[in-house]
Amino acid sequence: MQKRRVIGIDPGLAHTGFGVIDAIGNNIRLVSYGVIETPAAEEHGTRLLAIYNRLVSVLLEFKPEQAAMEELYFARNVSSAMSVAEAKGVVTLCLAQNALPLCMYRPNQIKYAVTGTKTADKKTVEQYVKILLNLETEPKPDHAADALAAAITHVFSTSNLVNYGL
């Protein structure tokens, strides 16, 4: 089996999390993670451009071959949903311009792939990300942990070794 490098992304206007992992089959290893932050005081378009430019830098530095992102799901706040959708659009454009295939996963798919249950809370997902990547502590902030969870889900759901009900 050959090594795959996967980037997971958790899009948001204020915080866009990213997590990069290497995988050989279902064996995964952390490469890097972090958050692209944009200040609320900046002009909206400038914030979107900052997300784009910083993500391009991450892609150039780590050279992932595949990308994963959580599908948007909002029950309440329409205005924050719009900002996240715009950030997601910028991320999607950036990935397409860099010829990176993107797979989208529902929140319950990610929870199930990482923890074995579709109803796990954020803290449980963070704990399992820590365990699966053999880290000393949970990755922080939570946007980075969510991005790593998306990358892990992609590896597990695209390997032919295990059926995770995805």
Side-chain angles (χ1 to χ4, degrees):
M1 286 182 220
Q2 73 181 56
K3 180 182 82 168
R4 294 187 290 160
R5 180 158 289 180
V6 178
I7 185 169
I9 301 173
D10 178 36
L13 184 61
H15 305 96
T16 292
F18 68 89
V20 182
I21 62 174
D22 283 341
I24 299 175
N26 276 352
N27 295 315
I28 54 178
R29 178 182 74 78
L30 175 68
V31 175
S32 183
Y33 67 88
V35 173
I36 300 166
E37 296 184 12
T38 64
E42 283 187 5
E43 191 269 325
H44 188 75
T46 303
R47 294 174 79 184
L48 293 171
L49 182 59
I51 292 167
Y52 176 86
N53 287 334
R54 292 180 194 152
L55 183 55
V56 167
S57 295
V58 169
L59 297 178
L60 290 173
E61 180 177 355
F62 297 108
K63 298 176 179 38
E65 298 142 6
Q66 301 169 344
M69 190 163 39
E70 183 177 313
E71 289 179 1
L72 296 183
Y73 172 78
F74 293 94
R76 295 183 189 94
N77 192 336
V78 173
S79 63
S80 70
M82 293 300 290
S83 294
V84 173
E86 288 176 328
K88 179 181 176 265
V90 166
V91 167
T92 303
L93 172 66
C94 184
L95 295 172
Q97 285 183 325
N98 286 275
L100 269 174
L102 172 64
C103 288
M104 303 291 292
Y105 298 95
R106 293 183 311 279
N108 65 351
Q109 285 179 297
I110 293 174
K111 291 174 184 178
Y112 185 73
V114 173
T115 70
T117 178
K118 294 180 180 181
T119 58
D121 61 15
K122 276 187 151 325
K123 183 66 179 163
T124 302
V125 172
E126 288 175 12
Q127 291 171 338
Y128 273 83
V129 166
K130 172 190 156 200
I131 292 165
L132 290 167
L133 292 173
N134 198 28
L135 306 175
E136 291 186 20
T137 61
E138 287 87 7
K140 297 289 182 190
D142 61 347
H143 301 287
D146 290 346
L148 287 167
I152 291 167
T153 299
H154 182 70
V155 168
F156 289 172
S157 67
T158 56
S159 72
N160 292 323
L161 301 177
V162 179
N163 177 0
Y164 281 85
L166 305 174

